[in-house]
Amino acid sequence: MTTIGLVSCVSLKGTHPVRAEDLYISPLFLKARRYVETHCDQWFILSAKHGLVSPDQVLGPYNETLNDQDRLTRQKWAATVWRKLESRLKPGDRLVVLAGSRYREFLMPMIEAYGCRVEIPMAGLSIGRQLQWLSCQMQQSTRERDLDKLYECLRRLDSGLGGKRLMSECTGRHEWPGRGVYFFFEPLEKRRTSNDLRVVRVGTHAVSRGAKTTLWNRLHTHRGSNSGLGNHRGSIFRLHVGAALASKNKSLAQASWGIGQVADCSIRAAEELLERAVSSYIGKMSVLWLAVGDEPGPTSDRAYLERNLLGLLVGPTGAIDRPSPKWLGLASPNERIRQSGMWNLDFLEYSYSPEFLSILAEYVAVTLEECPSPKVSIAPESWYRRPNRPDQLNQLKLFED
């Protein structure tokens, strides 16, 4: 199946003969051109004067539109366009049409009768809304490419580390970096466009000045003890996994779950069954990690990477890779977890900066010992003061070092 874009001509044009793709200079045409160049295998221009035009065909400026033509003239124009277009189509092809109703009305029935699928994504939108829609679509395309770059880094990390490490098999005897960023994966959660396991949680530690915790300390708190017990009051991750498990299985529910930062022996005993269920669930997850060893603090490279990773994975417009229908997080009482497909709450609306991917790639190389660790932070110096940085939900302050 071939995807073909059709873009109508516009009144605003250059003053000299040029390639048709460069003749039309209105913001609407320029955005529509960029959209079809990105989303379609090939594209053509619907010209009121010249009919079906290839982007590389040289045209001079003209002043003609279908919007002021009578019905018979528009029908003849559509028939002329169809004779040219038919030779370029096969039944089953997909056509994305970014053109007004006068350019579509008689042409679209011919295309559909031929057995092609027609999509008119901006039908009924005003010019302003069309511009807005095109801008949003192009931002999404850029984000999808950046998301692919992230998973390329993770595949490289996976290969260099000898594979993801199963949480139930993790111990302090493994060689963990002192400080870092970690990625959790679940065995049945895959990306929308590939067989890559999708990231279900991003985390870090030591983001307060003077913090002493290590990467293994944080992972061990999430995993629980070797006996299968754990303490959800020390791990917001365990708290939310437990709440989702209890939502699915009411026999595990405990009224005391998530209440208070400490609990006496009787409360801990009552919660033991749920804590064990959480340890079992997290134990089936796998983890990758980055060695990021700059000094603890809110402006550290670890904090920079965590925020930007979550901004790319979820961000203001929501996650691109959605969870599977059986993902446990969909049973979470917390709407943010259900909507995001992540076991994170903070920084889900963060507007990421694409340049963070180069910092990520450098720390992949550091982790794989392909280059020395930076002696100082390498994140942009002013990143923490960005005006679009949303406030943290502050839930992790319960577990700050």
Side-chain angles (χ1 to χ4, degrees):
M1 179 187 74
T2 301
T3 298
I4 297 174
L6 298 177
V7 181
S8 63
C9 64
V10 293
S11 59
L12 190 59
K13 304 175 183 70
T15 57
H16 303 285
V18 291
R19 291 162 58 102
E21 62 186 2
D22 298 320
L23 177 65
Y24 309 95
I25 57 176
S26 77
L28 181 61
F29 182 87
L30 294 175
K31 287 180 181 289
R33 170 188 170 179
R34 186 180 171 204
Y35 179 86
V36 293
E37 287 176 335
T38 302
H39 291 81
C40 301
D41 300 307
Q42 54 183 302
W43 68 287
F44 300 95
I45 297 165
L46 299 176
S47 165
K49 181 175 182 178
H50 301 284
L52 188 74
V53 175
S54 297
D56 58 357
Q57 182 177 336
V58 175
L59 296 181
Y62 62 91
N63 184 22
E64 195 167 328
T65 177
L66 290 188
N67 293 328
D68 56 10
Q69 301 290 342
D70 60 39
R71 180 182 180 87
L72 181 59
T73 301
R74 298 198 305 273
Q75 287 177 321
K76 290 180 178 178
W77 175 89
T80 300
V81 170
W82 173 243
R83 284 193 292 272
K84 286 187 177 181
L85 183 60
E86 182 182 11
S87 63
R88 295 170 168 85
L89 298 180
K90 293 179 181 179
D93 284 348
R94 169 176 170 258
L95 282 90
V96 178
V97 184
L98 306 182
S101 60
R102 293 295 178 96
Y103 289 78
R104 302 189 317 252
E105 57 184 336
F106 301 115
L107 181 61
M108 298 306 101
M110 298 178 193
I111 295 172
E112 291 173 333
Y114 188 70
C116 295
R117 179 159 59 97
V118 175
E119 296 179 10
I120 310 170
M122 299 194 299
L125 298 182
S126 66
I127 297 297
R129 294 291 299 276
Q130 290 181 46
L131 288 167
Q132 185 181 42
W133 185 88
L134 288 165
S135 294
C136 289
Q137 292 300 310
M138 295 316 300
Q139 288 172 4
Q140 191 76 343
S141 296
T142 300
R143 186 173 161 223
E144 288 175 354
R145 289 195 295 272
D146 287 343
L147 195 60
D148 288 340
K149 292 178 184 177
L150 165 60
Y151 279 93
E152 287 174 13
C153 283
L154 293 178
R155 284 194 295 273
R156 183 162 170 260
L157 189 62
D158 188 307
S159 176
L161 292 173
K164 301 176 181 67
R165 192 169 288 170
L166 191 66
M167 281 297 291
S168 62
E169 298 176 355
C170 291
T171 73
R173 293 189 297 274
H174 290 118
E175 292 186 5
W176 301 100
R179 292 190 284 269
V181 174
Y182 58 84
F183 305 85
F184 276 129
F185 307 85
E186 295 187 42
L188 300 179
E189 291 300 309
K190 293 186 176 181
R191 294 196 63 201
R192 176 176 59 90
T193 57
S194 73
N195 284 323
D196 290 319
L197 294 179
R198 72 176 184 88
V199 176
V200 297
R201 179 176 171 85
V202 174
T204 189
H205 63 106
V207 292
S208 294
R209 297 190 188 283
K212 303 297 184 183
T213 190
T214 65
L215 175 62
W216 169 241
N217 290 154
R218 179 52 53 86
L219 292 175
H220 182 264
T221 303
H222 293 328
R223 189 206 67 171
S225 67
N226 292 334
S227 66
L229 290 175
N231 178 17
H232 73 277
R233 291 178 178 84
S235 163
I236 194 75
F237 184 23
R238 291 183 66 88
L239 186 154
H240 288 298
V241 170
L245 286 167
S247 178
K248 287 199 73 172
N249 184 352
K250 302 301 182 185
S251 66
L252 293 174
Q254 292 292 324
S256 60
W257 192 260
I259 297 177
Q261 297 184 46
V262 294
D264 61 30
C265 293
S266 62
I267 292 176
R268 294 291 298 274
E271 296 171 346
E272 180 176 326
L273 190 62
L274 184 50
E275 291 281 14
R276 288 186 181 277
V278 171
S279 294
S280 176
Y281 189 86
I282 293 178
K284 295 181 178 70
M285 295 185 187
S286 54
V287 64
L288 288 175
W289 62 93
L290 282 175
V292 186
D294 61 338
E295 289 300 310
T299 62
S300 66
D301 288 358
R302 290 182 306 287
Y304 171 77
L305 288 170
E306 181 188 38
R307 286 158 175 74
N308 279 280
L309 284 162
L310 288 166
L312 175 54
L313 289 163
V314 185
T317 58
I320 291 175
D321 292 324
R322 301 299 303 160
S324 70
K326 294 184 178 180
W327 183 56
L328 175 65
L330 297 177
S332 171
N334 193 292
E335 183 180 8
R336 290 168 67 81
I337 291 173
R338 298 194 304 271
Q339 291 185 346
S340 69
M342 298 280 293
W343 294 107
N344 288 81
L345 293 186
D346 287 339
F347 314 117
L348 296 181
E349 289 86 21
Y350 193 83
S351 295
Y352 79 98
S353 298
E355 62 266 23
F356 98 90
L357 289 163
S358 63
I359 307 295
L360 176 72
E362 182 159 350
Y363 275 114
V364 169
V366 168
T367 305
L368 301 182
E369 299 182 346
E370 297 171 352
C371 66
S373 179
K375 296 185 181 299
V376 296
S377 294
I378 57 175
E381 186 175 351
S382 61
W383 78 266
Y384 192 71
R385 296 190 295 274
R386 281 173 50 199
N388 65 343
R389 180 178 61 87
D391 291 335
Q392 185 178 354
L393 294 180
N394 295 321
Q395 298 201 39
L396 290 179
K397 289 190 175 180
L398 294 172
F399 314 110
E400 197 54 87
D401 307 305

